[in-house]
Structure formats: structure tokens, C-alpha cells
């Protein structure tokens, strides 16, 4: 089913609104997942090929629409949700609408492999959480968050990017 859903992304509504990034995000972003059996049956190369074909078809649609600006199709593995996600935006790869640090990559294989090999999609093991004894409360009540404390920094996550627009790259 995952390969079918990836292919269907190319035919879904597509908004290219450089002045309204929220419309682009809401229209063009897809959350893709599958059951354990399907995930185990899939190979990295076939999922990568499906996304590459979808990116090519989206590029063709953009050309047919007459959009002359920059556009990027991109895919990432959302570890916390246990999903592959993809979107298209009228931005360069370095300006994707993520709130955290990300790293544009040319090789989709490791992104897909992270999803396919995820033993418990949507679950983050305790060992991967940053929890220190200072965070624990002896009184059993929730501590009041320290508003002055810096936000935790997470390493940039990989995002596969493909230019699909007709504008300068």
C-alpha cells in the first residue's frame, strides 16, 4: 500500500503560493505509513524509486501549470510519529518550513531505511530521551518549567530534497 500512496501524492492537490507558505504546507504535505507486515516486505530501493517517480511527476505538473518559480519536493522520516512525510514548497532546499534544524540530502536511501527498519514506529525509547535526575520531582507534582532555560538542541535531521520547479536552482 505504501508504494501506491506515494504514487498518489503526485496526483493530489498542489498549491504553489509563495506569498502564503501556510497554504502550501497544508495542501502539499502528506503523512505516509503502513503496517508492520507491509513495511517488512518493502525494500529501500523500491520506496526510493517510488518517491523519485513522484518527484518527477510533480515537476511535470508544475511545468504544465506554468509556474515559473523555484519549487522543492522533499521527504523526511518523522521518528516521533513513525511516518514518512513529504511535501512540496515554492522554496529552495535551504529554506524549508521546519521549526528545527534539518540537513538537505541527495540520498533518500538512509531516510527510507530509517523508516523501514524502525522496530517501533512512533515510539521513542527512553534511552534516546534526554532525562537527568534534576528533571525528576520527589513530590510527585509536575515542576513548573523554567522559562529562562534554553530550548534543547537536537541534531539536524536529514531531509531528501529534489528541485521540481522551473525557476533558478
Amino acid at each position: 500500500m505504501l508504494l501506491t500512496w506515494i504514487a498518489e501524492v503526485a496526483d493530489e492537490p498542489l498549491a504553489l503560493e509563495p506569498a502564503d507558505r501556510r497554504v502550501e504546507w497544508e495542501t502539499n504535505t502528506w503523512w505516509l505509513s503502513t503496517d508492520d507486515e507491509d513495511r517488512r516486505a518493502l525494500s529501500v530501493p523500491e520506496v526510493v524509486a517510488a518517491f523519485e517517480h513522484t518527484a518527477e511527476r510533480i515537476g511535470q505538473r508544475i511545468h504544465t501549470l506554468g509556474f515559473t518559480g523555484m519549487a522543492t519536493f522533499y521527504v523526511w522520516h518523522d521518528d516521533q510519529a513513525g511516518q514518512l512525510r513529504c511535501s512540496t514548497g515554492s522554496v529552495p532546499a535551504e529554506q524549508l518550513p521546519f521549526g528545527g534544524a534539518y540537513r538537505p540530502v541527495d540520498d533518500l536511501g538512509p531516510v527510507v531505511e530509517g523508516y523501514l527498519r524502525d522496530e517501533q514506529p512512533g515510539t521513542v525509547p527512553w534511552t534516546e530521551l534526554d532525562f537527568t535526575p534534576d528533571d525528576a520531582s520527589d513530590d510527585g507534582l509536575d515542576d513548573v518549567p523554567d522559562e529562562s532555560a534554553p530550548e534543547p538542541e537536537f541534531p539536524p535531521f536529514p531531509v531528501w530534497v529534489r528541485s521540481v520547479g522551473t525557476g533558478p536552482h
Side-chain angles (χ1 to χ4, degrees), residues 96-146:
L96 300 178
F98 290 110
Y102 69 95
R103 183 178 77 254
V105 297
D106 294 328
D107 186 0
L108 179 55
V111 174
V112 169
E113 185 171 14
Y115 170 74
L116 292 179
R117 305 298 173 250
D118 191 346
E119 295 285 325
Q120 296 178 311
T123 303
V124 179
W126 280 103
T127 56
E128 292 183 21
L129 296 176
D130 185 17
F131 181 80
T132 61
D134 292 340
D135 295 331
S137 173
D138 293 335
D139 61 10
L141 301 174
D142 291 335
D143 290 343
V144 176
D146 179 1

Side-chain angles (χ1 to χ4, degrees), residues 8-80:
E8 289 174 353
V9 167
D11 297 320
E12 292 294 333
L14 180 64
L16 296 169
E17 299 287 339
D20 194 345
R21 303 284 189 224
R22 178 171 293 296
V23 166
E24 285 186 348
W25 178 260
E26 291 173 357
T27 304
N28 302 340
T29 303
W30 300 98
W31 299 262
L32 306 167
S33 63
T34 190
D35 62 30
D36 291 340
E37 183 179 337
D38 190 31
R39 201 172 59 254
R40 282 191 297 272
L42 293 167
S43 72
V44 171
E46 64 188 335
V47 175
V48 167
F51 275 119
E52 288 175 342
H53 183 69
T54 294
E56 182 179 313
R57 289 183 51 215
I58 288 173
Q60 291 168 351
R61 282 184 64 196
I62 289 171
H63 179 75
T64 300
L65 291 171
F67 182 77
T68 58
M70 179 175 298
T72 303
F73 177 73
Y74 52 105
V75 178
W76 70 102
H77 173 209
D78 185 328
D79 292 346
Q80 293 177 343

